[in-house]
Amino acid sequence: MMRLCKTLLMSAAILISGAGWAQRYPDRPLRIVVPQAPGGGNDTIARLVAQRLSQSLKQQVLVENRAGAGGLIAAETVAKSAPDGYTLLLGNVATLTIIPNVQKKVSYDTFKDFEPVSLIASAPLLVVVHPSLPVTSIKQLIALAKAKSGQLNYASNGVGSSTHLATELFKVMTGTDLTHVPYKGLSPATADLLSGQVQVMFSSAVAMLPHVKSGRLRALAMTGAKRSKAIPDIPTVAEAGVRDYEAGSWYGILVPAGTDRAVVDLLARDIAAATHSHEIQERLNSEAVIPIGSTPAQFAAHIKKEYARVARVVKSSGAKFVD
C-alpha cells in the first residue's frame, strides 16, 4: 500500500510539473525546419505560418531551411530533436509518405517519431499537355493514351516525386500506359515539356499557369478533391471522369513524438487560426493552394490515409527502392 501511495504521489508530481512547464511555454524562440531551400512552396508556407505564430505566441519563430535528400535531412533533424515544442517540422507528402515507401534506409518512422499538429494546406497539381497533342480534356487524353499505348511521354520532377506518383496513380486508375521521363527537378522537366520533347505533365499549378496563359501549354484538369479558387474553370480529374482520383502535395506541422499534449494542442489552435486568417487564405488561394488548418487527429488520419495510398501506387507502378 505504501509503495502504491508513493507511486501515485510521484505520478501526480510529474503531471503537475508538466502542466507548469506547459503553462510557461514558450519562453524562448521556436524554429520550423523546412525540407527545402528558401523560395519554394514549402518555404513560403512555413514563413507565412511563422509570422502569425510569432504574433500569437509572443515569441520569435524562425524558419530553418534544411534542404537535401528530398526532405530526408529535415525530417531526421526534427525526429532526433528534444520533444519540447521548440523544434517543428514542415512535413509534406515526400518526407512523410514517399521517402519511407521508396527508400530502404530511412532513420525515422513517420508514425513513431512524430506527433502531427496541423495540416496547413494541400496543393493539387495541374495536368498540362503540349499544344501539339490533340486533346482538350482528360477523357480525350485517356482515349489517346490507350490508342497509342506507351507512345506518349510524361515528365516528372524525379523518381518518387509527387508528380511521378500522381501520374502513376492516374495510369493505374485509367488503365493507360504513359512512358515516364524523370528529370532532376522542375526546371529541366518544364523546358522539355515546352519544347514538346515530352507531351504530358502533372505539375505545380503556380509553375504551369503562366505557360497556360501564354498558350505554350494546355491545361486539362486539377488533381485535387475540389476545384481551385484561383482557376475555377478547370475541372478536377475526378469530375472529368476518373472517379475518386485525388493526388498532389500537402504541408503540415509536426513535432517530435513525446511532446506534451498541451503544447501540441496550443500549437494546433494557433496554426489553425493562422491558416484561417484572411491574409493567409487569400495568399494561398491566389497560388492555387487550398488552406485547411486541421486538428491533430485530422492530420494524423490524413497521414495514415496518404501513406497507404502512396504504398499502393508504389507497389502497382513497380517503382524500385533506392538506397
Side-chain angles (χ1 to χ4, degrees), residues 159-172:
V159 174
S161 65
S162 60
T163 57
H164 173 206
L165 294 186
T167 318
E168 289 299 324
L169 176 62
F170 178 80
K171 288 170 55 178
V172 170

Side-chain angles (χ1 to χ4, degrees), residues 25-316:
Y25 173 87
D27 59 8
R28 64 179 189 272
L30 292 74
R31 62 172 177 157
I32 300 177
V33 181
V34 179
Q36 192 181 55
N42 290 265
D43 182 68
T44 297
I45 287 178
R47 292 182 189 280
L48 285 172
V49 171
Q51 183 179 15
R52 300 287 302 201
L53 274 183
S54 294
Q55 297 170 4
S56 63
L57 295 175
K58 295 179 172 53
Q59 279 289 345
Q60 189 175 16
V61 180
L62 307 171
V63 172
E64 181 180 315
N65 299 92
R66 297 293 297 270
L72 186 69
I73 294 173
E76 286 179 340
T77 298
V78 177
K80 295 175 182 177
S81 297
D84 55 13
Y86 289 92
T87 302
L88 287 58
L89 171 69
L90 185 79
N92 56 33
V93 64
T95 54
L96 299 172
T97 65
I98 295 177
I99 289 175
N101 273 300
V102 300
Q103 292 200 22
K104 289 182 179 179
K105 299 175 182 178
V106 180
S107 62
Y108 61 85
D109 185 295
T110 295
F111 302 102
K112 294 179 180 179
D113 293 330
F114 301 104
E115 187 71 39
V117 177
S118 183
L119 177 62
I120 299 170
S122 66
L125 303 173
L126 185 63
V127 184
V128 292
V129 297
H130 190 267
S132 63
L133 211 63
V135 300
T136 58
S137 69
I138 287 293
K139 286 186 178 180
Q140 290 179 357
L141 175 62
I142 294 171
L144 184 62
K146 287 183 176 181
K148 296 186 175 183
S149 183
Q151 296 178 49
L152 301 184
N153 299 325
Y154 81 86
S156 82
N157 295 359
V159 174
S161 65
S162 60
T163 57
H164 173 206
L165 294 186
T167 318
E168 289 299 324
L169 176 62
F170 178 80
K171 288 170 55 178
V172 170
M173 294 182 70
T174 58
T176 53
D177 182 17
L178 302 169
T179 299
H180 182 209
V181 182
Y183 291 83
K184 293 183 178 180
L186 177 61
S187 294
T190 302
D192 275 8
L193 178 65
L194 291 170
S195 69
Q197 293 189 53
V198 287
Q199 297 85 42
V200 183
M201 190 170 183
F202 288 50
S203 188
S204 160
V206 175
M208 296 297 112
L209 278 175
H211 303 303
V212 171
K213 291 177 179 177
S214 69
R216 299 183 70 190
L217 293 176
R218 182 182 300 130
L220 302 184
M222 295 289 292
T223 66
K226 58 183 181 180
R227 296 193 184 201
S228 165
K229 290 185 178 180
I231 39 177
D233 293 337
I234 297 179
T236 66
V237 173
E239 286 178 320
V242 188
R243 186 178 176 182
D244 296 327
Y245 178 91
E246 182 182 351
S249 299
W250 42 264
Y251 316 92
I253 293 292
L254 303 96
V255 291
T259 300
D260 190 282
R261 173 50 55 180
V263 170
V264 172
D265 290 341
L266 172 64
L267 289 171
R269 182 199 68 194
D270 284 8
I271 291 169
T275 305
H276 296 151
S277 69
H278 179 71
E279 174 194 357
I280 290 184
Q281 291 260 326
E282 279 209 333
R283 175 68 182 275
L284 296 182
N285 282 324
S286 70
E287 297 186 1
V289 176
I290 301 170
I292 300 174
S294 77
T295 65
Q298 289 169 336
F299 190 18
H302 175 82
I303 294 171
K304 185 177 181 180
K305 177 184 175 182
E306 283 287 281
Y307 194 98
R309 181 182 67 81
V310 169
R312 289 196 300 271
V313 175
V314 169
K315 183 177 180 179
S316 61

